[in-house]
Amino acid sequence: MAAALTLTLSVTAAQADGFCETLARLHADAGNPDAGAVTVAFPDATAAEASCRAVLELGGIRSLSCNWAFDYRADAARVAFDLLASEITACAGDPIATEAPVNHPDSYDLLSFAGGISAALKDKAALQETHVILRVQAG
């Protein structure tokens, strides 16, 4: 039976602990092929749903990858990415690495945090979509 996970992003400090608990749960459940849907509510848009899926990375590392699709280069995608990065920072500290954006013709911003957590903003020109991606490695 799939476990349901809820991830609510907000700009209020009072809810930061809830996000941190959810992030810790994602960490513990990373690599679980039965992980369920994650719901994200952004303050300036209607709630978007994403499915997290188990990923087997190089070297046998297991992680969960959660993906939210937006219209291509929509402002809401940048807002969502910035909010996600802010919430992760509140839980895991400042990013330990950033990758410079690339353009080929897709663009990609990546922030890596301690504990195998990352947030990415990726334009997919062929799909005419921009994706916000949360990746959490098994902890």
Side-chain angles (χ1 to χ4, degrees), residues 5 26 29-32 35 52-54 63-66 134-136:
L5 302 175
L26 288 171
D29 290 345
N32 177 359
C52 293
R53 61 183 171 87
S63 66
L64 277 178
S65 179
C66 307
L134 169 65
R135 188 181 117 271
V136 180

Side-chain angles (χ1 to χ4, degrees), residues 81 85 88-89 92-101 108-121 133 135:
F81 173 74
I88 295 171
T89 298
D94 290 332
I96 56 174
T98 59
E99 286 190 22
Y108 185 75
D109 292 342
L110 176 65
L111 299 174
S112 297
F113 297 85
I117 301 167
S118 65
L121 178 69
I133 302 161
R135 188 181 117 271

Side-chain angles (χ1 to χ4, degrees), residues 2-80:
L5 302 175
T6 302
L7 174 64
T8 303
L9 300 180
S10 73
V11 292
T12 63
Q15 294 191 8
D17 288 341
F19 176 79
C20 294
E21 289 172 9
T22 300
L23 198 56
R25 193 170 344 130
L26 288 171
H27 232 335
D29 290 345
N32 177 359
D34 294 328
V38 174
T39 302
V40 178
F42 296 106
D44 66 342
T46 58
E49 270 192 24
S51 293
C52 293
R53 61 183 171 87
V55 177
L56 183 60
E57 300 178 22
L58 291 175
I61 297 170
R62 296 194 177 274
S63 66
L64 277 178
S65 179
C66 307
N67 183 27
W68 295 273
F70 294 85
D71 290 336
Y72 187 63
R73 296 195 171 165
D75 290 338
R78 173 53 72 175
V79 168

